[in-house]
Amino acid sequence: MAYSNKVIDHYNNPRNVGTLDKASSEVGTGLVGAPECGDVMRLQIKVNPETQIIEDAKFKTFGCGSAIASSSLATEWIKGKNVEDALAIKNTDIVKELALPPVKIHCSVLAEDAIRAAIGDWKKKQSASQAAPVTAEAK
Amino acid sequence: MSTNGTNVNNDVNGVKLPIYLDNHATTPMDPRVLESMIPYFTGKFGNAASRNHQFGWEAEAAVEKAREQIAKLIGATAKEIIFTSGATESNNLAIKGVAEMYKEKGNHIITAVTEHKAVLDTCKRLEKYGYRVTYLPVGADGLINLEDLKRAIDDKTILVTIMAANNEIGVLQPIDEIGAICKEKGILFHSDAVQALGKVPLDVNKSNISIMSLTGHKLYGPKGVGALYVRRKNPRVQLSAILDGGGHERGMRSGTLNVPGIVGFGKAAEIAMQEMPEESKRLSALRDRLMNKLLSNLDETHVNGTMERHLPGNLNISFVYVEGESLLMGINDIAVSSGSACTSATLEPSYVLKALGLGDDVAHSSIRFGIGRFNTEAEIDYVADRIIDTVKKLRELSPLYEMVKEGIDLSKIEWQTEGH
């Protein structure tokens, strides 16, 4: 498999690797994929409740180089965006940026799913905390 | 193998990169083999089937010498060796040849789920033509259960086909015992011995083998040349040919012989015969060195297939919570092979590893190391260090490793598997 230079760069120097406190009300966690499929992405965001801006993003990925690169790139892109702009990111944008071959398109789909899942988790926490002061733990 | 990234075509600590550690896929040709072949491309170019001139006689003599050299390595006689284009053809000819020749006797074939695709897909094709095939399971050790074999045999069974050594996990099937069962029941026994040839001692009489598939390029010989051992007595085995033509190779395999290839295969067999005792000791030591370094420096790391009955140069290891292709990408100056779906054309993880009872997730995390004649201790040390560093780095990136370390049971999580 020949990888694009951008995939290799993200693989060698992954951006924003790490873990945020998933119990925090400001943090949304998305865990997508499955071990038996060979890809699991966990993408986390920390959102400023006033501005709705994603102030921090972290990921960890079990998967091939393209999956690692897709999630690394996703964290890079969503950091500093407000949540609605982050939701506008499409998997095809990731495919284009990383020059992913057809067999690796599912990696970009997973990265888009991870962004949506993280934002969805954060939104759920927001509505839950407005309804009652109980913390809803991310799965 | 990817050739991008660093360290390719450089020397590091006296180790020349990239390092070839995929000797189950193919082996580099031994220079002594190449030397033996060269005269047969130009000066001694004759057709071994030309009976009435010097050129033909020379070629025929060279082929007969190779037949002797190969026969000696498996305890057979030269007349029992027929040449083919490689192991895929040998396996096809053995199984289809028996199926057609013995169809009056029965239509049942027994094989194992971990056989090479050249055996499994041949059996699958025969099923379309009305043959019944039993696919024996293997245990976690990778070996078939002899009681399963005995139970599978019925009065229509004509052939048992079980490999000598597995190409992925390197385990050695109990061919002596299988042969004894087949002999007692009067059933032919074919063994794909491609990975075992020249690596471990083989004796067609001791193991009661009726037909054995062999190839040149897995034992430092040329590609494109294989052979089939076909027993001539006790009992005499006959095969229906697949190719119709000039009736070469006792009528079982028509086609002009690949004389230079056959000469090289013969030389490779002769070298293996002389050097196997020393070489298998050296390769086992290198293999154990690699295994011990990896296991003592990494947790959640498991060897696949029993080490009790194992090829000297094979090591198959699962680095759990690290995906195989990403591991290969991190060690792109080392040529190995992965059980990961991402490296295969079918996008399915290794059926051999799954047959051992490994989950898809662990199969995705597996690497096959194939150590061969030209690998050195310095290379093994370099490989071990690179693997250890890369696995550690990827586990820092792995959400699964982090979750397991936090005490989360991954099997309790509802993973979204649809659409992937």
Side-chain angles (χ1 to χ4, degrees), chain B residues 96-112:
Chain B
K96 290 174 182 168
V98 166
E100 190 180 335
M101 185 60 77
Y102 295 86
K103 65 175 178 237
E104 302 299 322
K105 192 170 173 259
N107 68 343
H108 181 226
I109 295 168
I110 300 172
T111 184

Side-chain angles (χ1 to χ4, degrees), chain B residues 230-243:
Chain B
V230 186
R231 180 172 285 278
R232 270 169 69 89
K233 57 180 182 186
N234 302 323
R236 181 185 179 85
V237 178
Q238 288 179 289
L239 300 177
S240 287
I242 295 175
L243 302 177

Side-chain angles (χ1 to χ4, degrees), chain A residues 1 3 7-8 11-12 17 19 31-38 40 42 60-65 68 104 110, chain B residues 2 4 321-323 325-326 329-330 342 360-361 364 390 393-394 396-397 399-400 402-403 415-417 420:
Chain A
M1 175 80 51
Y3 300 97
V7 170
I8 292 165
Y11 174 87
N12 286 331
V17 175
T19 306
L31 182 66
V32 297
E36 56 264 38
C37 300
V40 175
R42 189 191 64 198
K60 283 199 176 189
T61 290
F62 163 84
C64 64
I68 290 168
K104 295 299 181 187
L110 214 53
Chain B
S2 159
N4 44 43
Y321 314 123
V322 170
E323 195 276 331
E325 186 184 338
S326 64
M329 195 173 166
C342 294
D360 280 13
D361 52 336
H364 278 296
T390 308
K393 178 192 150 183
L394 290 170
E396 284 299 304
L397 271 180
L400 304 178
E402 182 189 298
M403 290 159 88
W415 300 103
Q416 63 157 117
T417 50
H420 295 289

Side-chain angles (χ1 to χ4, degrees), chain B residues 304-345:
Chain B
N304 296 314
T306 177
M307 297 308 288
E308 305 292 318
R309 302 175 54 89
H310 213 98
L311 283 176
N314 174 277
L315 184 63
N316 190 306
I317 292 200
S318 296
F319 301 95
V320 190
Y321 314 123
V322 170
E323 195 276 331
E325 186 184 338
S326 64
L327 179 51
L328 293 190
M329 195 173 166
I331 53 164
N332 64 357
D333 48 10
I334 302 164
V336 290
S337 148
S338 161
S340 165
C342 294
T343 59
S344 73

Side-chain angles (χ1 to χ4, degrees), chain B residues 24 31 44 48 72 74 76 100 123 134 182 186 205 263 266 287 294 316 319 324 331 350 357 365 383 410 414:
Chain B
H24 303 302
K44 301 179 180 181
K72 204 172 167 195
I74 59 168
E100 190 180 335
C123 288
T134 300
C182 291
N205 292 318
V263 168
R287 192 263 321 275
L294 295 176
N316 190 306
F319 301 95
I331 53 164
S350 157
S365 305
V383 168
L410 297 180
E414 280 182 43

